Amino acid sequence: MPADNIKSYIYLHIIVFIWGFTAILGQLISLEALPLVWYRILISVITLIIYYAITKKSVKAPKHRIIQFLGAGVVIALHWLTFFLAIKVSNISITLACLSTGAFFASILEPIFLKRKVVFYEMVFGVIVVCALTLIFSVSGHYIEGIVLGLIAACLSAMFSIINSKLIVHTAAPVITFYEMVGGLMVLTLTLLFTGGFTKEFFEVSMSDWMWLLVLGTICTAFAFLGSVYVMRYLSPFTVMLTINLEPIYGILLAVAIFKDSEKMTPEFYIGALLILSTVVLNGVVKNRKNRKLSAR
């Protein structure tokens, strides 16, 4: 493997580890989910503006494209909101296990949005995921609210990925991300304005929360995204996808190490989570083989 590829692979693992740490920050930050996500996106937008100012890169795009990007930003904002809500009402392990079902939701949504045929092996993997979720539900019934929110977050994540796969054809990823962050910030700001959320207490943030919010908004959001775009120049999409699937594993291991007993689950839970992660990896392997066969023809 060339030196650039090795460096990029190590860099990608660091990025995925950082994304796994995002769930930890959701637990460490004492703010409720809505202000947490609002501050996260605000810090991310400011960070990206500074980045573009220093690098003198343009974020110009056609008006109709900008509207599309802003709309996609609403989806990612809702995804982050449900993700952090799930952590607040359950725990990190439950949330990340449910988030791993994103590929399952993608297999359902892609034929609808991209107008492609339903793939048989994806249906089989879907059945396995449903069985795994049934197992998790059976031993984690007291976390029902967190499980439902985690599944909604996974569905929104899949929807966001499908939307981005169509948008990326016309515009560079960093430009799309900037407007998506702005769109997310706008919808959350309007929500807070109309619900009277901007109270005195909203802006009373502790020093420890500010510290973790800065880490979340800069390193875990702006930096991690720009880094993920960079490594895609040197690594195949398949390698990137399989490595990103390690995020729940990193997150759950970190949660158990940091929060100990509050994150320890039953053996049945881990069997269910492992089944879900296995289907994600197998799905990637099968798709990679099919793509290789098609390119060889």
Side-chain angles (χ1 to χ4, degrees), residues 220-261:
C220 296
T221 307
F223 166 79
F225 172 78
L226 293 171
S228 67
V229 173
Y230 169 79
V231 299
M232 285 179 185
R233 298 178 186 175
Y234 303 99
L235 301 175
S236 69
F238 176 68
T239 299
V240 173
M241 185 205 67
L242 281 187
T243 308
I244 287 174
N245 290 334
L246 292 172
E247 179 190 345
I249 297 174
Y250 286 150
I252 290 173
L253 290 175
L254 280 169
V256 173
I258 294 171
F259 300 109
K260 297 182 172 56
D261 291 342

Side-chain angles (χ1 to χ4, degrees), residues 103-111 116-130 279 282-284 286-287 290:
F104 164 63
F105 284 110
S107 69
I108 296 172
L109 295 172
E110 279 183 12
R116 69 164 176 81
K117 293 181 180 179
V118 176
V119 181
F120 175 73
Y121 69 82
E122 288 183 344
M123 293 175 62
V124 174
F125 290 153
V127 172
I128 296 173
V129 169
V130 171
T279 61
L282 286 171
N283 182 48
V286 173
K287 281 187 176 179
K290 286 187 70 175

Side-chain angles (χ1 to χ4, degrees), residues 246-296:
L246 292 172
E247 179 190 345
I249 297 174
Y250 286 150
I252 290 173
L253 290 175
L254 280 169
V256 173
I258 294 171
F259 300 109
K260 297 182 172 56
D261 291 342
S262 65
E263 288 293 334
K264 287 181 180 177
M265 308 298 292
T266 64
E268 291 85 355
F269 167 83
Y270 292 110
I271 292 170
L274 186 61
L275 277 172
I276 294 171
L277 288 169
S278 298
T279 61
V280 174
V281 174
L282 286 171
N283 182 48
V285 172
V286 173
K287 281 187 176 179
N288 186 56
R289 286 181 178 176
K290 286 187 70 175
N291 290 338
R292 282 183 178 178
K293 285 181 181 179
L294 288 172
S295 60

Side-chain angles (χ1 to χ4, degrees), residues 43-107:
I43 293 168
S44 177
V45 168
I46 293 170
T47 303
L48 289 171
I49 289 172
I50 294 170
Y51 168 78
Y52 289 128
I54 293 172
T55 58
K56 296 182 180 178
K57 290 186 177 181
S58 173
V59 291
K60 289 183 179 178
K63 287 184 179 179
H64 71 284
R65 295 290 178 204
I66 291 175
I67 293 171
Q68 292 175 341
F69 304 152
L70 294 174
V74 175
V75 178
I76 194 62
L78 291 174
H79 160 68
W80 282 337
L81 189 59
T82 50
F83 173 75
F84 286 113
L85 272 171
I87 291 173
K88 298 292 184 182
V89 301
S90 58
N91 64 19
I92 294 166
S93 298
I94 288 288
T95 303
L96 289 178
C98 291
L99 198 65
S100 302
T101 62
F104 164 63
F105 284 110
S107 69

